[in-house]
Amino acid sequence: MYAIVNIAGKQTKVEANKFVYAHRLAGNVGDTVELGKALLTDNNGAISIGAPELDVTVTGTILAHVQGDKVLVFKKKRRKGYKKLNGHRQQFTKVLINSIG
């Protein structure tokens, strides 16, 4: 069984007993979070689509707060001697999905 859930403005496919990386969520490591209502569920081929949501809640446990890979932003203007290099690392939360529904 899987579900598609809106987490922090992004639609994410989640399955029970698997983990997902979401944008930084409030809470400490070990806390239980409710990820909201499902937009779509699939239970062994039986697909249910909400209009706009289903009455199925998804719960998970926060495993860790991590950072993503470094993204380098390089700007250059040719023949002017202008070069600028910036780096950025996105903040993520690793969430273990406990139950769907």
Side-chain angles (χ1 to χ4, degrees):
M1 177 175 191
Y2 72 86
I4 296 181
V5 182
N6 190 355
I7 303 172
K10 299 210 181 238
Q11 295 179 2
T12 307
K13 180 181 176 183
V14 296
E15 295 183 39
N17 300 323
K18 295 197 176 182
F19 64 88
V20 64
Y21 290 98
H23 286 287
R24 188 69 175 242
L25 298 175
N28 297 323
V29 176
D31 289 349
T32 301
V33 291
E34 187 172 307
L35 298 177
K37 299 192 180 225
L39 304 173
L40 178 140
T41 59
D42 180 12
N43 191 1
N44 297 327
I47 296 176
S48 300
I49 299 174
E53 296 174 340
L54 297 169
D55 289 332
V56 177
T57 58
V58 178
T59 60
T61 304
I62 295 177
L63 297 179
H65 295 292
V66 296
Q67 290 182 332
D69 294 334
K70 182 175 276 193
V71 177
L72 296 177
V73 179
F74 183 71
K75 298 178 181 180
K76 180 180 177 179
K77 294 187 178 178
R78 63 183 191 164
R79 295 187 302 268
K80 306 294 183 202
Y82 172 78
K83 291 189 273 187
K84 185 76 172 176
L85 179 67
N86 288 325
H88 175 74
R89 292 184 75 180
Q90 187 69 40
Q91 304 290 320
F92 290 108
T93 301
K94 186 176 180 179
V95 179
L96 175 67
I97 305 301
N98 295 334
S99 65
I100 299 174

